[in-house]
Structure formats: structure tokens, C-alpha cells
Amino acid sequence: GAGVSQTPSNKVTEKGKYVELRCDPISGHTALYWYRQSLGQGPEFLIYFQGTGAADDSGLPNDRFFAVRPEGSVSTLKIQRTERGDSAVYLCASSLTRYNEQFFGPGTRLTVL
Amino acid sequence: AQSVTQLDSHVSVSEGTPVLLRCNYSSSYSPSLFWYVQHPNKGLQLLLKYTSAATLVKGINGFEAEFKKSETSFHLTKPSAHMSDAAEYFCVVRADYGGSQGNLIFGKGTKLSVKP
């Protein structure tokens, strides 16, 4: 079956611009996660959704980052006033429930010039 | 706080020789531990998981890991490396208590190279 998909696969933007990254989870998965993977590092947790609500957003680095999941399926990660330090691979994962195996998408590579 | 430390950033082996990727964990409770593999331009894939059942865990593609509480280790092994094993490997602990319960905490990764 279809796995987790993320679009775009690559995004290049200029400092100060706004970007949106999209995640399509596996159908029926109620839990959705966003992670950020900087060069040479392991993924770091950003935010977790249970259904439509953000149950844990403790990993978001600052208020320029925001994510939504309005219908409990597709999620969008939004970054305002991008900075060069935001350059990273943004990973999305979904799971049936919070404690089931997380399935990861291929990621979106964001480059801020 | 829970954490994992991967002791080697890069491991290089010859095809057909054993693989050992080392991981130590820190946790006040009995942890849930995982190994994930990341091939270039592909998503992270779960190799195996430990959740307080058998201490020797078998995973996909011939990999296994042993949970050793006395050493706080969860090393990943494979008897014979294959070229297709070349990838980045992440040791992961799941936060099982506190406000971040359920979140995955990743190590920095070990890049495995396999020489012909």
C-alpha cells in the first residue's frame, strides 16, 4: 500500500520567505509527527498530532514554526520568515496510534539561501 | 532525561565480515529501544525494536541487537555484511514517561560503509 508521502521533495527559498511543507500520512493513521534532520545529525522531534489536534508541540524551535492538520489526515508544516539555520531535511512520520511503529516519509530538503 | 549515544560516527567493513554498530542508552526506566536504517534519498525504515520482552531481538535483513541492562547498551550486529547494507543507522529510544511520552529520541547516526 501507499506509504507516507511528502511534497515537495526539495525546496529552495530565500531568507525571509514563507514556506509550506506537506505530509500525506498512511490512510487510517491517527498519529502524525514532524521531525527535523540537520546535516550530520539524527532527526529531532518537532510536533505530534493526535487526530486534528497538536498534542505535543514542545519541539518547535520558535514561533516562526507552525503546523496544522485540519481534517486529521494531511498535515502542513509552515515556516515564516525563514532563516539560513532552518535549512535541513524535514521528515514526517505516521503511526496507527502513538505507541505503534512510526512509518517515515522520504523527507523534504529545505535550503534557505 | 532519556538519550542514546552512538559511539561511532563511521564504521567501515569488508563485504562478508561481521558488522557491529554500538549504542548506549540513558534511561531511568526500562526503555523501548529501536534501530532505524536510512538509505540515501529514502525514508527511515525500522530494523528492529526492543520493548522489554526477549533481550536478543532479531530484525530484518539478518540484523539483530542485544539489550544489556548492566552495560546500558543496545548494539546492532550482523554476521556477514552485504554491499546493500551501506547506509546510515540510527539508535533510538522512545520517551516512555513525562510530557514527551511516545516521542522518539534519535542518536546522531552511524554511517556504515561496505567495501567489496
Side-chain angles (χ1 to χ4, degrees), chain A residues 47-89:
Chain A
I47 187 169
Y48 153 64
F49 285 89
Q50 180 57 46
T52 60
D56 181 355
D57 64 357
S58 61
L60 294 178
N62 51 60
D63 61 7
R64 294 187 298 105
F65 288 75
F66 189 71
V68 295
R69 194 186 185 199
E71 297 179 359
S73 55
V74 170
S75 175
T76 305
L77 178 66
K78 308 181 181 195
I79 310 174
Q80 299 177 317
R81 304 184 303 280
T82 51
E83 300 177 357
R84 292 194 180 88
D86 299 335
S87 295
V89 176

Side-chain angles (χ1 to χ4, degrees), chain B residues 3 7 9 16 18 21 37 45 59 66 70 76 86-87 90 95:
Chain B
S3 65
L7 301 173
S9 58
L21 305 183
V37 61
Q45 182 183 19
E66 186 171 7
S70 61
L76 182 69
F90 292 95

Side-chain angles (χ1 to χ4, degrees), chain A:
Chain A
V4 178
S5 62
Q6 292 185 247
T7 53
S9 55
N10 280 283
K11 176 71 177 178
V12 180
T13 191
E14 294 179 342
K15 180 176 178 296
K17 299 289 188 183
Y18 168 82
V19 296
E20 289 189 350
L21 311 179
R22 177 187 167 109
C23 172
D24 278 87
I26 293 172
S27 177
H29 281 192
T30 62
L32 184 145
Y33 312 78
W34 284 98
Y35 295 82
R36 179 168 71 174
Q37 186 174 15
S38 300
L39 196 62
Q41 302 294 318
E44 293 179 309
F45 167 79
L46 294 177
I47 187 169
Y48 153 64
F49 285 89
Q50 180 57 46
T52 60
D56 181 355
D57 64 357
S58 61
L60 294 178
N62 51 60
D63 61 7
R64 294 187 298 105
F65 288 75
F66 189 71
V68 295
R69 194 186 185 199
E71 297 179 359
S73 55
V74 170
S75 175
T76 305
L77 178 66
K78 308 181 181 195
I79 310 174
Q80 299 177 317
R81 304 184 303 280
T82 51
E83 300 177 357
R84 292 194 180 88
D86 299 335
S87 295
V89 176
Y90 289 82
L91 298 168
C92 176
S94 71
S95 61
L96 200 57
T97 67
R98 186 161 199 181
Y99 291 97
N100 290 107
E101 177 184 347
Q102 293 185 27
F103 294 85
F104 283 80
T108 294
R109 182 176 299 277
L110 175 66
T111 303
V112 182
L113 300 176

